[in-house]
Amino acid sequence: MMNIMHPTLRRLDLNLLPVFDAIYRHSSVRLAADELAMSTSALSHALSRLRITLNDPLFYREGHRMCPSVYATQLAPAIASTLKFLNHELTPQPEFEASVSTESLQIAITDFTAFCIFPALMHKLQHEAPGLRLELRYLPHSPALTELLAGEVDLALGFSTSDDIRHPELDEISWFEDEYVVISNTRRTQLTLEDYLAARHLVVTPWNEKQGVLDLQLEQMGHTRQIAIKTPSMLSAPFIVAQSDLLMAIPRYAAEKLVPATDIRIFPLPFAIRPFEVKIYSHKRSGKRGVTHWLKAQLHMLADEIHSTQ
């Protein structure tokens, strides 16, 4: 036998519950009708339907007052509480207003996204969304599927060293593409493929990955490079390069931002490889859709500004 869920509610017109609540509070059909913007005849008809459904008179007229039955008195607190709860919970989500928002977002990042994105992003937000709060967390892996699905982070800004596995509950959009370049100390004057393969290298491995995209490409070309040091953080890497003979491959935008801070020189990568790509990941059913959509729009504007200055 099929189990019918909520059999009582299925036979009850829930629009009648506000009618009951208004009559109970006002003890008057006329005042209840005024509150509900109904005619008294329409409200009386609704009360008749409710009496039939619940098989109880519910209210008796005593002079000008509508007095509740014992059953109605028992029902009234539960109906009032339920209507208050539903009214609160079913209120449409307000439109996101950046200028007055005080929402907080958890954002998973890498060193690269923190270094290259957030200085310019915070410059924009301090004028357009001064109350918006951001909590940055390092990505334990990319693309932070587990954390996004669990609601532990609202957005993830990162890249993958392989083709991403798309998840049906996540939105994945390409945010920024850049070419790889090589940085070295300023004593180097040229960089051929032979020079690159003969040199020693510093490699940033944010998730302690065994092999990066450059090594995969070199392997397909029949080459390997000499990796002298691996580090999970990009912060110290250019300073190590500046004071050693090591080479480091890095997106051009980051390299150009580092030139004023340390003594390095930029060379083109001496072999072809697909662009470095940063992606934005978010949960399709996020409870913060308004603010995440707005922030993604700001990030896209920022990416356009970066490309226009390159």
Side-chain angles (χ1 to χ4, degrees):
M1 183 177 178
M2 183 174 65
N3 181 29
I4 300 175
M5 295 292 290
H6 311 301
T8 301
L9 294 180
R10 286 169 64 89
R11 64 185 177 83
L12 174 66
D13 182 352
L14 298 182
N15 290 314
L16 300 177
L17 297 183
V19 170
F20 174 94
D21 179 65
I23 296 174
Y24 184 85
R25 286 185 290 103
H26 292 292
S27 301
S28 166
V29 169
R30 181 181 62 80
L31 294 177
D34 288 344
E35 179 181 291
L36 298 173
M38 299 171 64
S39 67
T40 54
S41 61
L43 189 133
S44 295
H45 178 67
L47 177 57
S48 296
R49 291 173 58 204
L50 192 57
R51 283 167 167 163
I52 293 170
T53 302
L54 297 180
N55 193 29
D56 189 88
L58 298 177
F59 297 96
Y60 298 92
R61 183 173 294 281
E62 291 185 1
H64 297 294
R65 291 176 55 81
M66 296 293 286
C67 297
S69 67
V70 173
Y71 183 45
T73 301
Q74 294 172 344
L75 287 178
I79 290 177
S81 175
T82 299
L83 290 174
K84 182 179 180 180
F85 173 78
L86 290 175
N87 188 66
H88 178 267
E89 293 298 318
L90 298 178
T91 299
Q93 292 292 310
E95 292 292 328
F96 176 73
E97 294 186 41
S99 61
V100 296
S101 174
T102 57
E103 290 196 62
S104 176
L105 282 179
Q106 302 268 343
I107 304 178
I109 59 159
T110 64
D111 268 355
F112 175 83
T113 50
F115 174 70
C116 293
I117 297 171
F118 280 88
L121 179 62
M122 294 311 297
H123 177 72
K124 288 174 67 71
L125 296 188
Q126 70 182 351
H127 301 292
E128 299 179 28
L132 188 63
R133 292 169 292 136
L134 306 180
E135 183 173 335
L136 307 185
R137 296 173 51 180
Y138 278 107
L139 275 168
H141 46 79
S142 183
L145 291 175
T146 304
E147 292 75 14
L148 283 163
L149 293 170
E152 295 174 6
V153 296
D154 303 299
L155 288 176
L157 303 177
F159 60 93
S160 177
T161 55
S162 60
D163 291 332
D164 292 339
I165 301 174
R166 294 183 180 274
H167 193 284
E169 293 188 31
L170 296 184
D171 276 328
E172 173 191 316
I173 57 176
S174 178
W175 177 72
F176 179 75
E177 285 190 358
D178 199 6
E179 65 174 343
Y180 282 98
V181 296
V182 180
I183 60 173
S184 78
N185 62 46
T186 55
R187 296 186 299 277
R188 183 177 292 276
T189 57
Q190 67 172 18
L191 185 66
T192 64
L193 179 59
E194 290 74 18
D195 296 330
Y196 185 86
L197 295 174
R200 299 188 306 149
H201 298 263
L202 182 153
V203 180
V204 176
T205 55
W207 309 292
N208 297 315
E209 55 267 31
K210 298 298 182 183
Q211 197 173 36
V213 291
L214 274 72
D215 295 294
L216 288 170
Q217 180 63 31
L218 286 170
E219 187 177 86
Q220 292 177 11
M221 297 166 58
H223 302 300
T224 58
R225 59 178 176 170
Q226 303 176 56
I227 298 176
I229 180 172
K230 287 185 176 182
T231 174
S233 173
M234 191 182 75
L235 182 62
S236 62
F239 298 94
I240 296 172
V241 168
Q243 298 186 47
S244 69
D245 63 352
L246 300 179
L247 300 180
M248 176 185 174
I250 189 173
R252 178 175 291 278
Y253 181 65
E256 290 176 349
K257 288 181 73 70
L258 287 167
V259 167
T262 187
D263 201 17
I264 57 173
R265 179 168 292 170
I266 300 174
F267 294 93
L269 187 70
F271 57 93
I273 192 170
R274 70 183 186 184
F276 174 86
E277 182 181 23
V278 177
K279 293 184 177 181
I280 303 176
Y281 304 90
S282 60
H283 200 302
K284 291 179 179 178
R285 296 185 287 109
S286 169
K288 299 179 180 178
R289 286 177 298 176
V291 62
T292 55
H293 287 175
W294 181 85
L295 189 57
K296 284 194 286 187
Q298 301 307 304
L299 286 166
H300 276 296
M301 292 171 59
L302 186 60
D304 291 341
E305 291 171 9
I306 291 171
H307 281 301
S308 68
T309 59
Q310 285 185 310

